[in-house]
Amino acid sequence: MNPNSEAIIEVDHLVRRFGDRAVLDQISFNVHRGETLVIMGGSGCGKSTLLRHMIGSMKPTTGSVKLFGEEITGMAEREIERVRLRFGMLFQSGALLASLTVGENVALPLFQHTKKSPDEIEQIVKQKLEIVGLTGFEDLKPDEISGGMKKRVGLARALALDPELLFSDEPTSGLDPIMTAVVDELTLNLTKGTHMTAVVVSHDMTSAFRIATRMIMLGHGSIVAQGTPDEIRNSSNPEVQQFIHGRADGPIPLNVSQEEHKDHQHVRPRPFLGARFRFHHKHP
Ligand SMILES: Nc1ncnc2c1ncn2[C@@H]1O[C@H](COP(=O)(O)OP(=O)(O)O)[C@@H](O)[C@H]1O
Ligand SMILES: [Mg+2]
């Protein structure tokens, strides 16, 4: 890590409790200009919660978050709004407004936060949709396009204000491998050769290794490991190896959160899964 490079995000001893459970417990790390940091970890381990603290939509129990050198944890909503103009956010769900067209969704931040004319905005919308490969889709509604296209529209909208920093929460979840590669390629194109910094939450390891310049693995409220993709790949930490190879057996505790409780597949023993798979395979 170049010690001279500017820290754009500084997370310092961040603690977040829900009730008496610390979902984030003394988390500290920096993100430097030009990096693509991937935050990984099992579902329910606190990745989205961490991201929400980094964009100022949640306040920590204790600890601090600085964006562009400014402490955001004590800021009033109006002040945070000003900082938000400098970064884009691609939410897990895509979060497109169903009543607006694709073009209107991308135009929204421009109407809300700039004084640009409708003609100028139309040009910018065209340009952002071109970046994500959706030229000509302006007039469709979100429910008329595929999941992969929705994510790309979300990305175009996140880029509308030319942010220097981009946050994305599981940008490839629910996408097939080809569409995942397309979205990864877009992220790479945006960050390579520019000074854009990206923080991407992902539990897709193929995708994570494709885009990351640095990785952080979260688990039981703490940072389990961090380093370059090579350092993570070669880590001797058994938790890291279990996670990146997707093994059921290993040191990672099967902590069934309330969220996962609904999804009983998480706790099904493996032989049963195997039997089910073979059954479905023979009789599709
Ligand atoms: N607003 C909230 N109130 C209470 N518990 C929450 C809230 N948000 C998240 N949690 C809990 O915090 C844990 C981490 O959630 P989350 O950050 O969404 O995990 P991830 O994104 O890694 O899947 C989960 O157990 C979740 O149920
Ligand atoms: Mg999440």
Side-chain angles (χ1 to χ4, degrees):
M1 181 64 48
N2 177 359
N4 297 321
S5 60
E6 181 194 350
I8 286 199
I9 306 173
E10 295 157 81
V11 177
D12 191 21
H13 292 89
L14 183 71
V15 176
R16 176 57 198 235
R17 294 180 181 284
F18 292 118
D20 54 8
R21 193 164 61 103
V23 168
L24 302 173
D25 191 9
Q26 304 284 349
I27 304 272
S28 300
F29 64 91
N30 288 351
V31 185
H32 296 86
R33 190 176 288 281
E35 280 193 307
T36 298
L37 176 75
V38 171
I39 299 173
M40 53 190 195
S43 89
C45 78
K47 303 180 296 297
S48 296
T49 303
L50 178 56
L51 214 56
R52 287 188 196 110
H53 284 84
M54 291 165 86
I55 65 171
S57 70
M58 270 189 179
K59 301 284 185 199
T61 307
T62 57
S64 85
V65 177
K66 282 187 190 160
L67 288 187
F68 312 109
E70 285 190 277
E71 173 67 68
I72 61 163
T73 45
M75 274 186 188
E77 190 55 28
R78 182 177 288 179
E79 270 184 289
I80 292 182
E81 277 298 321
R82 174 178 55 78
V83 181
R84 279 200 189 116
L85 297 181
R86 296 178 68 181
F87 65 78
M89 174 80 208
L90 173 57
F91 292 96
Q92 198 158 358
S93 56
L96 301 179
L97 295 175
S99 60
L100 301 183
T101 64
V102 161
E104 288 163 346
N105 266 286
V106 179
L108 199 59
L110 292 155
F111 278 113
Q112 284 175 327
H113 299 296
T114 73
K115 296 193 163 43
K116 293 184 194 299
S117 70
D119 279 352
E120 282 174 290
I121 291 179
E122 195 183 321
Q123 281 314 306
I124 297 171
V125 168
K126 270 211 173 107
Q127 183 223 341
K128 301 303 172 191
L129 285 175
E130 191 185 337
I131 291 175
V132 300
L134 291 177
T135 297
F137 288 87
E138 284 87 338
D139 296 330
L140 294 184
K141 290 283 181 66
D143 64 7
E144 294 169 324
I145 60 176
S146 72
M149 289 159 82
K150 278 184 204 151
K151 298 267 190 180
R152 286 187 282 158
V153 175
L155 184 58
R157 186 180 57 186
L159 297 175
L161 298 175
D162 295 318
E164 51 202 295
L165 171 62
L166 177 71
F167 291 101
S168 5
D169 195 350
E170 310 258 9
T172 61
S173 75
L175 302 186
D176 65 46
I178 292 170
M179 200 42 69
T180 296
V182 168
V183 171
D184 288 343
E185 204 57 43
L186 285 172
T187 308
L188 281 172
N189 288 343
L190 286 169
T191 49
K192 263 190 189 158
T194 67
H195 290 290
M196 192 192 257
T197 310
V199 177
V200 181
V201 161
S202 184
H203 61 215
D204 177 338
M205 286 302 100
T206 309
S207 171
F209 280 108
R210 200 149 44 197
I211 61 173
T213 60
R214 198 154 61 90
M215 306 175 117
I216 283 183
M217 184 174 155
L218 280 188
H220 31 85
S222 308
I223 293 176
V224 173
Q226 60 177 313
T228 63
D230 272 343
E231 285 165 349
I232 293 291
R233 210 179 269 118
N234 299 320
S235 167
S236 58
N237 184 328
E239 276 190 52
V240 174
Q241 289 303 321
Q242 183 191 349
F243 191 78
I244 65 179
H245 293 111
R247 293 193 201 104
D249 303 318
I252 298 177
L254 263 182
N255 245 339
V256 182
S257 72
Q258 285 174 325
E259 204 172 44
E260 289 161 319
H261 230 12
K262 284 179 262 161
D263 182 0
H264 294 290
Q265 295 204 337
H266 281 274
V267 289
R268 258 183 206 143
R270 278 199 303 167
F272 183 38
L273 264 182
R276 271 170 60 87
F277 178 72
R278 281 193 299 277
F279 177 79
H280 283 300
H281 210 57
K282 265 193 227 144
H283 310 277

